[in-house]
Amino acid sequence: MIAALTAAGVPACEIPGLFVGKSHESSALDAALRERPVGAALKWQGGIPSPLFASLRLALTALRHPRQVPVGVVLAALLPRGPFSTEPLKDTVRQIVPDGWVGHPNLWLMATDLDTGERVAFGREGAPNAHLAEAVAASCAIPGFYHPVTIDGRTFVDGGCWSPANLDVLEPLKLDVVICLNPTSSLERSKRWRDSLSNVYRNASGRQLAWEAHKLRRTGTRIVLFQPSIEALLVMGTNLMRSDDLELITDVARESVAQQLLTPDYRACVAVLRKLAGADRPSAPRRARRVASKAIGRISAASGRPARAQTSKTA
């Protein structure tokens, strides 16, 4: 949702307010959208929820080839189809982009095919054609909670079933710097007993994230990870779908990210991005490359890895 809104041109400064229902009156967003938090309305899908597996076909595939299907995808197949509709999510996106896709060339929205277990990146070449609203809904369709989304005759659920971050899809691109926001993991742990289940999930998410980040770093890509601080964890709690205290959660998250940005390696990464963005301009390529190389060296010093300056347009 956030990626789609950003790619559609919604200013980053307005997105937090949009989520808590406090967007600026001067915003170009529809007034009805400004009056309520994004996706906060839950709508019953209709009919009687089925207690059966969401996908018997995928469950049987996982049984025959257990090592080829991620655990999250197996759970998505075994859980019943969620009772809540994704229409409120689609309506939110349609306020910004009524139909079709967004103009940004690098927006990929991750979803999982509920019949085959295949991971699909909507927006990437070869993916099924989809309207932006449909792709956002599919990428947000949490198994067992939201009803799966049908696109081009195929049924999709949240891409987080395959991987919480999906960092590894970027491995072939050989990027200079990747910035990853992963709210489902953390370097810290809550000691409250009611957060025990959440800690287990975050541990699993963190291990998956670490493995994918390791694979990406082997290609020479620098990675900056943003994960919730202990203060954010205590405020967020275990229910990732809660709709109360959104303003408090947003404020704590903003402060947490601001503190992480003050550390030397994060500041160095920002310097790299700023300088590499103009490195292909004839007026200042040499200076930009020198500054970028120096900044990358600072990242290397912080991470203990050898420096290697890269100045491609994919940075």
Side-chain angles (χ1 to χ4, degrees), residues 1-197:
M1 176 66 75
I2 294 177
L5 293 175
T6 302
V10 177
C13 62
E14 289 194 11
I15 291 180
L18 183 63
F19 271 81
V20 298
K22 290 190 175 182
S23 290
H24 303 295
E25 289 297 326
S26 60
S27 169
L29 303 179
D30 187 276
L33 180 59
R34 294 199 305 264
E35 291 175 357
R36 65 172 178 82
V38 173
L42 293 179
K43 180 181 179 181
W44 195 258
Q45 176 67 25
I48 301 175
S50 172
L52 303 178
F53 295 157
S55 176
L56 180 59
R57 174 185 172 185
L58 182 54
L60 293 175
T61 299
L63 186 62
R64 290 193 299 266
H65 310 285
R67 296 186 178 182
Q68 297 181 13
V69 183
V71 175
V73 177
V74 175
L75 292 176
L78 296 178
L79 288 171
R81 300 195 173 204
F84 294 106
S85 171
T86 56
E87 283 303 315
L89 300 174
K90 296 179 184 178
D91 290 341
T92 296
V93 178
R94 288 176 183 139
Q95 299 283 356
I96 314 297
V97 181
D99 54 34
W101 197 254
V102 71
H104 197 288
N106 297 322
L107 176 64
W108 292 358
L109 300 177
M110 308 305 300
T112 305
D113 189 311
L114 194 54
D115 291 319
T116 65
E118 176 189 0
R119 178 171 55 179
V120 174
F122 288 105
R124 184 167 64 175
E125 184 178 358
N129 292 324
H131 292 288
L132 182 64
E134 296 174 331
V136 168
S139 70
C140 293
I142 302 172
F145 187 87
Y146 281 119
H147 199 75
V149 178
T150 301
I151 299 175
D152 198 23
R154 299 167 63 180
T155 305
F156 295 94
V157 292
D158 190 349
C161 299
W162 185 282
S163 164
N166 288 294
L167 263 183
D168 54 326
V169 299
L170 301 176
E171 186 177 356
L173 302 183
K174 303 286 193 298
L175 300 176
D176 296 301
V177 178
V178 169
I179 300 175
C180 175
L181 288 77
N182 195 52
T184 61
S185 63
S186 178
L187 296 176
E188 303 178 80
R189 296 292 175 267
S190 169
K191 295 182 179 180
R192 301 184 305 194
W193 65 268
R194 63 178 181 271
D195 293 334
S196 299
L197 184 60

Side-chain angles (χ1 to χ4, degrees), residues 80-315:
R81 300 195 173 204
F84 294 106
S85 171
T86 56
E87 283 303 315
L89 300 174
K90 296 179 184 178
D91 290 341
T92 296
V93 178
R94 288 176 183 139
Q95 299 283 356
I96 314 297
V97 181
D99 54 34
W101 197 254
V102 71
H104 197 288
N106 297 322
L107 176 64
W108 292 358
L109 300 177
M110 308 305 300
T112 305
D113 189 311
L114 194 54
D115 291 319
T116 65
E118 176 189 0
R119 178 171 55 179
V120 174
F122 288 105
R124 184 167 64 175
E125 184 178 358
N129 292 324
H131 292 288
L132 182 64
E134 296 174 331
V136 168
S139 70
C140 293
I142 302 172
F145 187 87
Y146 281 119
H147 199 75
V149 178
T150 301
I151 299 175
D152 198 23
R154 299 167 63 180
T155 305
F156 295 94
V157 292
D158 190 349
C161 299
W162 185 282
S163 164
N166 288 294
L167 263 183
D168 54 326
V169 299
L170 301 176
E171 186 177 356
L173 302 183
K174 303 286 193 298
L175 300 176
D176 296 301
V177 178
V178 169
I179 300 175
C180 175
L181 288 77
N182 195 52
T184 61
S185 63
S186 178
L187 296 176
E188 303 178 80
R189 296 292 175 267
S190 169
K191 295 182 179 180
R192 301 184 305 194
W193 65 268
R194 63 178 181 271
D195 293 334
S196 299
L197 184 60
S198 176
N199 285 339
V200 172
Y201 173 75
R202 291 186 183 280
N203 283 336
S205 176
R207 287 193 296 269
Q208 178 75 15
L209 177 66
W211 169 240
E212 294 178 4
H214 171 69
K215 292 198 297 182
L216 210 55
R217 288 188 177 108
R218 288 188 307 186
T219 67
T221 298
R222 311 287 172 174
I223 302 176
V224 177
L225 300 177
F226 289 97
Q227 303 176 78
S229 63
I230 185 61
E231 293 80 10
L233 291 180
L234 295 177
V235 173
M236 292 167 64
T238 59
N239 182 9
L240 298 181
M241 295 303 298
R242 60 185 296 189
S243 59
D244 59 318
D245 293 331
L246 290 181
E247 188 170 2
L248 174 60
I249 294 173
T250 301
D251 289 341
V252 173
R254 184 187 290 111
E255 178 64 24
S256 174
V257 172
Q259 290 299 321
Q260 293 181 58
L261 285 171
L262 293 177
T263 59
D265 50 337
Y266 286 74
R267 294 173 65 182
C269 179
V270 172
V272 171
L273 295 176
R274 286 176 175 172
K275 297 305 178 182
L276 290 184
D280 56 344
R281 298 174 184 172
S283 59
R286 292 183 180 180
R287 183 176 182 275
R289 291 173 188 270
R290 285 198 303 270
V291 174
S293 179
K294 184 178 180 180
I296 290 177
R298 290 178 59 193
I299 297 178
S300 301
S303 61
R305 302 177 61 229
R308 181 166 66 88
Q310 297 178 334
T311 53
S312 70
K313 294 183 180 180
T314 56

